[in-house]
Each structure stands twice: as C-alpha cells, then as structure tokens.
Amino acid sequence: MSEHPVIELRHVEKHFGELHVLKDINLSVARGEVVVVIGPSGSGKSTLCRTINRLETIDSGEIRIDGERIPREGKNLARLRSQIGMVFQSFNLFPHRTVLDNVTIAPVDVLRIPKKQAREEALRLLERVGVGDQARKVPAQLSGGQQQRAAIARALAMHPKAMLFDEPTSALDPEMIGEVLNVMTELAREGMTMLVVTHEMNFARRVASRVIFMENGSILEEGSPESFFTHPQTQRAQAFLQSIQDH
Amino acid sequence: MSKTKKPSIRDYLYEPPGPRTRTWIRVGTALALGLIAALVYAVIHQFAVTGQLKAKYWSFFSRWTTWRFIGQGLLTTVEVALTAAAITFAAGFLLMRGRLSRHAILWRLSAGLISFTRGVPTLLFIYFFFLVVPRTGVKLSAFWKIALPVAISACGVVAEAFRGGVNAVPRGQREAALSLGMTERRAFYRILFPQAFRYIIPTLIAELVIVLKDTTFAYIVSCADLMQNARVLISNYDALVSTYLVVAVIYILINYGLNRLSENLAGRESRRKTA
Ligand SMILES: Nc1ncnc2c1ncn2[C@@H]1O[C@H](COP(=O)(O)OP(=O)(O)OP(=O)(O)O)[C@@H](O)[C@H]1O
Ligand SMILES: [Mg+2]
C-alpha cells in the first residue's frame, strides 16, 4: 500500500500568453477518491485536467502521479500517461479502426500484451460498459452514448491508476447522458480513483467524495458534496449554484 | 451493399437543383455540346482542307513496328513516371516529417527545401541535371536525368499535401493516442497518418498526373520515352499532326484512368468509414 496520493499538484501555475489560467493550484487525489471539479466556463477546469497527463505543459509547480514526478517528454512521459486514463468530451475514438481495435490497440502496442489476450479483455470491458455487441463496428456507426462508453472501455484497458473525465456527457443528447453516468458511477463504486469535470450536479452529489469549485484559474472552494451544495462558503459558489439551478 | 449512386462531393457542396435550374442546365449542356461538335467539325474540316487526313500521314499506323516503337516509348514513360513518383512520395514524406518536427534546424531546412522545390520550374531542374551535373563528373543515364529532376520538382508539393492531410486530422486524435501512452512517433504512424492518407490520396494522384506530364521533357535529355519516340516518328514520316493526335490520346487515356482510380479509392474510403 502506498501512502502517496495518486494525483498530486503543488503550486501549479499556467499561462496562455497573457491569460493566467491556473493560479497556484494545490490538489491531491487519494486512492479510490472521486473528485468532481465544477465551475463556470473558462475557469480552467479542462486545462487543470489536461495538465495532469501533460497534454498541457505548466509554467511552474509540480505534478506527481503516485509519487513520481511527470517527466517533460520521451518514453517515461508516455509510460506515466499510460497509467492515467482520459475520457474526452468529444470521445476521440479512432474512426479508422473498429471499436474492438480501439480498445486493443494501446494494450498491444504500448503494454505489449499478446493480441489474443488483449482481445479477450477488450471484449470483457466492452461487455461491462454495455457495448459488447458493437465490437466489430466502426465508431461512426455507434450512438454518442455508446461511443463514450467504448472510449471509457478503451481507457480502462490500460489498467490505469486513475481516470480523468473532461465533461464526458456535455456532447451527448440528454437521453444518453444517464447510460454514461451509470458506467462512471459503477467505476467509482469499484474503487477507481477519478477526477471528473462535469456540470452534472446530481452525479456530483451522489458519487463525489469531494467537490472542487474553480473560478478564474483558482480553486475557490473545496469540500464534501453535502457541505458544498448545502452551505457554499463563497459568494461566487453560491452565485454559480444559483445560476445552474435556474436552468 | 446498396446499388444507389454514391454521393459525390458535388452533393455536399450544392443544393439539389430545382426544376427551373434543371431546365437551364439542360439548355446549357445542349449549347455546350453543340459548340464542341462545331469545334471538332471545324478542326477536322481544316485538317481535310490542309491535307492532314491524307493516307500518307496515317498509313504507317497500320504497321506493327510503329506500335511496337510507340509501346517501347510508353513503357519508358511509365517507368520514368513510376520511379519519379516513388522518389517524390518518399522525399515528400520525409520533408513533411521534417516540417512537422519540433527541431528548429530540421524544421527550417525542410521548409526551405519545400519552398525551393515548389518555386523552381521543372525545366530548370532538368537543365541542371542535363548541363550542370555532368560537369561535376557524375555520370547519370538519360533515365535518371529525367526521373530525378521530375521527382525533385514535385516533392515540395507532395510534402505540403501530406502536411495538409495530417493537419486535417482532428487534434483530439493525437491527444487520445498520447493519453493512452503512445509516443508521438507511434501516435503519428498508428493514428494520425492512416487517417491523413484518406485526405491525401486525391492530391497524390493529381501529382502523379503532373509527374507523368513532366516526363514529356525527357526528349531534352534524349531519354526514349513516348514523347521522344513520337518525335522520331514525326521526323521519319513527316507526320506531325497525326502522330501528336495519337500520342495525345494515349496520354489522355492514362490520366483519365488515374483520375478514375482516384475517385474509386476515395469512394471506397468514404464507404468504409460509414459502412
Ligand atoms: N490552447 C489555448 N490557447 C489559449 N487559450 C486557451 C487555450 N485553451 C484554453 N484557453 C483559455 O484558457 C481559459 C481556460 O480554459 P479551459 O478550457 O480550461 O476552461 P474550462 O473551465 O474547461 O471551460 P469550459 O467549461 O468552457 O470547458 C479560457 O479562457 C480559454 O479560452
Ligand atoms: Mg472545458
């Protein structure tokens, strides 16, 4: 048992040119924790998420995965990235490959798992997220909800230590949101360490161990879902929750 | 598979025409066809008047040796074109990799070579290989004196076509590949380039047509390609118009074939994607 947080950010700063997008971000996610990040558009949630596997570089501060500092580049960076699953708003399945290939390609290429074994495991994972019967199709033939669930299976196939979700349901038709959230809830219950950017407040209430409220590049508030949703401390958080309820 | 007509790019770019537009299209088509027919008639008539249709200009085409000679030239043309195409595609690929590289020196060098080869006319490269290279003591056969310059002159355009295709692949594809632990290189070869290829095929085939046309400069270096052999026939039989007509038809047929190939490949790709 390691006592390191699975994900740890210390004094992380990030600029896009003049724009200060991440301001002294300190955050750690322990094993099995589900941290939900909420906040208004442009507050830096996606950027935060993407710095964790270095899809965005940072200006200063440090980021550790399971105690190990993220390398700047090369094979070691790739290895560390492979330990963190990422689920994108726009699914980003590989359109030129079948759903099954999407799930096996990285385990075979990166982890060097034998093809046959990778296929068996992929089918099990696809079954688990409820798209086992779609394995031989190409992504374009699946509904949005099915694609996103396949994308989750693809990330799980790498046996990640943690999963990052950046608004996984924002591109979905309302009737498909539930099926994706169900898969995520199931994952959380099985003990997966997760960092989830989402506007789904019910999911946050039910599943989050901790809620983080971001605005303008800073973490303004952090707490359990009960305390955050019932007694938000800052006026900004109160206003944000109000604005969401009005919708 | 359904037998319905596969949608072409036109169907995406334009609304289907209404009844009135369709009438106009029909009138326009009829007019254009009439005009072309008139033009063809005028040309043939003019040939007849100037005596170009006389038997002496055409009878040597009934000889087997004439066609063998044309066939040999055609074979050389195809060999030169395929060799030049293979070289230009390989060089174009390398230049594209350099152009997309993060190393400043590689990047600049590739960008410079791409602009240079795109900016200089093919003919200058041919003269370079014809006049300058031999003086350096390097001995090249006529075959390479035409294949190399044609390849060099096309490779910049090919590199840019490759780059355009790679850049057309959505950003998220690279990010998804990286997030799965692929290195940049693996992500490129496994995920980005196979997808880019779909966008690139039509340009590559268009470039193949240009390469084929450029090989007609082979006579400058005395490489016995289709064009050079045609010139021999012309001087032997004093039959300029008839020979050029036959040769033009051959070139048109080849390029038409290439265009059909391009359409077929593009069609198959789009069918596979939505299959
Ligand atoms: N590559 C980039 N270059 C420049 N500015 C960027 C870039 N990516 C994001 N930004 C800017 O950084 C800020 C934070 O963006 P980010 O995407 O992290 O916000 P977000 O909280 O995820 O918003 P949303 O809810 O709209 O997804 C925004 O102002 C955005 O315009
Ligand atoms: Mg975002």
Side-chain angles (χ1 to χ4, degrees):
Chain A
M1 267 281 147
S2 80
E3 66 287 12
H4 300 296
V6 180
I7 299 170
E8 186 175 23
L9 289 83
R10 279 193 214 145
H11 304 299
V12 168
E13 303 277 346
K14 164 90 186 168
H15 290 79
F16 280 122
E18 293 287 285
L19 191 67
H20 200 171
V21 267
L22 294 181
K23 300 172 183 161
D24 192 30
I25 299 291
N26 291 281
L27 168 70
S28 67
V29 185
R31 197 169 305 281
E33 244 191 327
V34 177
V35 173
V36 169
V37 182
I38 62 176
S41 179
S43 56
K45 307 179 299 291
S46 295
T47 309
L48 170 71
C49 207
R50 293 157 53 82
T51 58
I52 292 172
N53 61 1
R54 211 176 158 82
L55 287 180
E56 295 293 353
T57 57
I58 58 175
D59 300 339
S60 62
E62 63 173 48
I63 298 175
R64 286 173 187 273
I65 303 302
D66 217 4
E68 189 177 346
R69 224 176 139 153
I70 294 226
R72 291 175 157 274
E73 56 189 3
K75 285 248 152 62
N76 271 329
L77 174 59
R79 183 178 54 78
L80 227 66
R81 275 182 180 147
S82 75
Q83 299 174 1
I84 305 172
M86 184 150 191
V87 176
F88 301 84
Q89 182 175 343
S90 47
F91 328 136
N92 295 345
L93 288 173
F94 306 131
H96 61 307
R97 296 304 203 89
T98 64
V99 170
L100 183 62
D101 285 348
N102 265 271
V103 183
T104 55
I105 189 165
V108 171
D109 269 19
V110 177
L111 300 180
R112 308 250 164 242
I113 291 177
K115 252 208 171 94
K116 190 159 168 288
Q117 187 187 331
R119 279 172 169 268
E120 283 165 10
E121 159 133 51
L123 285 171
R124 251 200 320 276
L125 284 168
L126 288 170
E127 207 63 58
R128 189 169 135 198
V129 298
V131 291
D133 49 341
Q134 313 289 326
R136 310 275 162 189
K137 297 187 182 169
V138 290
Q141 294 171 282
L142 272 60
S143 73
Q146 290 172 326
Q147 288 192 49
Q148 192 61 299
R149 284 181 284 148
I152 293 174
R154 175 176 72 175
L156 289 175
M158 297 298 286
H159 299 287
K161 291 176 176 168
M163 293 271 287
L164 309 172
F165 295 83
D166 187 7
E167 301 200 28
T169 57
S170 295
L172 294 177
D173 292 340
E175 69 267 26
M176 296 172 185
I177 291 177
E179 63 198 43
V180 171
L181 291 180
N182 284 344
V183 169
M184 291 168 61
T185 307
E186 189 63 26
L187 259 182
R189 198 173 305 147
E190 288 165 17
M192 178 58 79
T193 309
M194 296 164 48
L195 185 118
V196 185
V197 178
T198 185
H199 293 297
E200 296 296 327
M201 294 304 143
N202 281 327
F203 174 83
R205 267 202 200 89
R206 280 188 297 115
V207 182
S209 343
R210 201 149 36 104
V211 175
I212 280 177
F213 176 72
M214 275 187 84
E215 201 191 61
N216 250 324
S218 307
I219 296 181
L220 282 198
E221 222 174 304
E222 188 172 348
S224 70
E226 304 84 57
S227 69
F228 177 77
F229 286 112
T230 47
H231 314 289
Q233 303 294 307
T234 58
Q235 273 194 344
R236 298 298 180 85
Q238 285 162 17
F240 177 74
L241 288 176
Q242 195 61 49
S243 75
I244 280 195
Q245 268 158 17
D246 291 347
H247 279 88
Chain B
M1 240 196 315
S2 69
K3 266 280 175 196
T4 53
K5 196 174 159 290
K6 67 174 182 239
S8 75
I9 188 90
R10 245 169 269 130
D11 302 324
Y12 298 114
L13 287 179
Y14 305 109
E15 284 178 53
R20 199 184 215 181
T21 319
R22 255 181 308 200
T23 313
W24 277 114
I25 290 177
R26 261 189 234 119
V27 171
T29 312
L31 274 177
L33 283 178
L35 223 71
I36 291 171
L39 204 69
V40 168
Y41 174 78
V43 167
I44 292 177
H45 181 75
Q46 204 55 32
F47 281 166
V49 168
T50 55
Q52 288 298 334
L53 299 182
K54 279 187 197 149
K56 69 164 181 172
Y57 292 128
W58 294 90
S59 59
F60 64 95
F61 281 111
S62 65
R63 259 175 251 148
W64 138 249
T65 46
T66 305
W67 287 106
R68 194 181 57 183
F69 192 56
I70 289 176
Q72 281 165 348
L74 178 60
L75 189 66
T76 306
T77 288
V78 169
E79 279 170 3
V80 170
L82 287 182
T83 308
I87 294 172
T88 206
F89 290 166
F93 183 84
L94 289 178
L95 283 177
M96 173 272 289
R97 287 295 278 162
R99 181 75 176 71
L100 290 175
S101 137
R102 279 169 303 171
H103 298 283
I105 297 174
L106 256 178
W107 184 93
R108 260 160 232 255
L109 187 72
S110 312
L113 284 173
I114 289 171
S115 317
F116 177 71
T117 56
R118 288 179 70 187
V120 176
T122 314
L123 207 49
L124 279 189
F125 285 117
I126 293 173
Y127 277 123
F128 178 80
F129 275 84
F130 181 48
L131 301 173
V132 182
V133 172
R135 296 203 180 173
T136 65
V138 178
K139 284 224 159 58
L140 290 174
S141 66
F143 180 89
W144 291 108
K145 276 187 199 156
I146 183 66
L148 285 177
V150 166
I152 289 172
S153 112
C155 70
V157 179
V158 170
E160 287 298 270
F162 277 137
R163 187 167 72 102
V166 170
N167 284 338
V169 178
R171 255 166 59 105
Q173 290 292 308
R174 174 179 157 269
E175 296 181 348
L178 294 182
S179 80
L180 289 166
M182 294 192 198
T183 56
E184 292 276 2
R185 163 188 278 269
R186 199 187 292 280
F188 182 84
Y189 286 106
R190 295 291 264 165
I191 306 300
L192 300 185
F193 196 64
Q195 291 184 57
F197 211 72
R198 196 174 53 227
Y199 306 114
I200 300 170
I201 289 174
T203 323
L204 285 192
I205 294 196
E207 204 52 32
L208 201 57
V209 171
I210 291 175
V211 163
L212 187 80
K213 287 191 197 166
D214 278 353
T215 61
T216 55
F217 287 130
Y219 68 85
I220 295 172
V221 299
S222 320
C223 174
D225 77 328
L226 179 55
M227 201 62 174
Q228 167 72 3
N229 285 6
R231 291 162 68 93
V232 171
L233 286 179
I234 287 168
S235 61
N236 283 0
Y237 296 100
D238 188 28
L240 185 118
V241 172
S242 57
T243 309
Y244 272 155
L245 267 177
V246 168
V247 168
V249 167
I250 295 177
Y251 277 113
I252 290 170
L253 284 180
I254 296 176
N255 289 336
Y256 175 75
L258 285 174
N259 282 328
R260 288 303 301 267
L261 177 73
S262 162
E263 279 165 21
N264 277 342
L265 285 175
R268 180 183 310 167
E269 279 297 332
S270 66
R271 242 171 293 138
R272 199 167 71 109
K273 211 182 144 202
T274 54

